[in-house]
Amino acid sequence: MAKIILAMNNVVMREISLLKERTTIGRSPHNDIVIDDRAISAEHAVIVTVDKDAFLEDLNSTNGTQVNGQPIKKHFLQENDIIELAQFRATYVSCATPGDHVPAPRLIESVFARGSSGVGVIKVLNGANTGKETVLSKSLTTIGRPGLQVAVISRRSNGYCLTHVEGKAYPLVNGVSINPGRHFIVHGDVIELSGVKMQFLVE
């Protein structure tokens, strides 16, 4: 299980396991990781965990968030990345262990065995961006409208999966609301977020 090791002035303060899909960081007591310091915003940043992958997002904090010395808005976390929040440092440790592999359903395996490149594409079906296509070549692709409804599509060796990240309503796949956690998607699935319909295609 992934974790972050929080330190200040090279002194480790605590280790926090990333047990939730969304782990919020900030000064306010309702956050999952509370850092009681004026340099930290009330809601400073969030770590979103999708299976074994995680990404960090700055929540428009006053003093910003850096990773390995570079300011970020969103960042796909990798082993031993150093997250910098004011004078605090948090090291990301994935803690990946052999045997954690979760096989994909056979339906997905059949889609990727067609002799195609296996690269997914999202095509917008309605609204102002009808026809627009996004190639899902990255490990994580965020879709939706921040503050309203957001989901993440993660690319894995055995297929693609969709995970709800933000918003009261969960995304729809083929007209049915997905459950919490990851949801594998296959060629032809129609995803709907905030009224926008997108079709997942494998090229």
Side-chain angles (χ1 to χ4, degrees):
M1 181 172 293
K3 64 182 178 181
I4 61 171
I5 302 171
L6 185 65
M8 185 175 68
N9 298 326
N10 294 321
V11 176
V12 174
M13 300 169 64
R14 54 185 158 145
E15 294 186 7
I16 304 104
S17 296
L18 301 176
L19 302 173
K20 300 173 62 178
E21 187 176 288
R22 287 175 58 87
T23 302
T24 57
I25 307 170
R27 191 178 69 251
S28 294
H30 66 263
N31 287 285
D32 299 302
I33 301 173
V34 178
I35 303 177
D36 190 11
D37 188 283
R38 289 190 175 185
I40 303 297
S41 295
E43 295 178 352
H44 198 104
V46 62
I47 298 173
V48 178
T49 303
V50 182
D51 198 19
K52 297 187 191 69
D53 298 324
F55 70 88
L56 172 72
E57 180 178 356
D58 181 79
L59 299 176
N60 298 315
S61 63
T62 301
N63 293 316
T65 302
Q66 295 189 349
V67 176
N68 303 327
Q70 299 296 319
I72 63 96
K73 282 296 181 183
K74 288 185 179 180
H75 175 82
F76 175 61
L77 288 168
Q78 300 181 58
E79 187 74 16
N80 294 323
D81 272 350
I82 305 297
I83 303 167
E84 301 171 50
L85 310 160
Q87 71 268 38
F88 297 88
R89 302 290 182 271
T91 304
Y92 174 76
V93 181
S94 67
C95 296
T97 57
D100 278 350
H101 174 72
V102 178
R106 290 185 180 180
L107 181 58
I108 291 176
E109 293 172 0
S110 67
V111 168
F112 279 78
R114 292 197 230 168
S116 68
S117 62
V119 177
V121 172
I122 286 291
K123 182 177 182 179
V124 179
L125 301 179
N126 66 338
N129 294 314
T130 298
K132 180 180 178 181
E133 294 187 357
T134 300
V135 179
L136 304 174
S137 57
K138 298 185 295 183
S139 296
L140 293 171
T141 301
T142 305
I143 58 175
R145 298 179 182 176
L148 185 62
Q149 192 177 25
V150 177
V152 168
I153 298 175
S154 58
R155 184 184 185 187
R156 308 183 57 76
S157 61
N158 56 354
Y160 287 82
C161 60
L162 176 72
T163 304
H164 173 76
V165 173
E166 181 182 353
K168 293 182 179 180
Y170 283 74
L172 303 179
V173 175
N174 301 326
V176 179
S177 177
I178 68 171
N179 295 320
R182 64 180 183 173
H183 177 92
F184 280 99
I185 52 178
V186 298
H187 180 78
D189 277 350
V190 176
I191 303 166
E192 184 174 350
L193 290 95
S194 305
V196 177
K197 293 184 178 181
M198 297 159 277
Q199 188 168 32
F200 173 71
L201 304 169
V202 178
E203 297 187 341

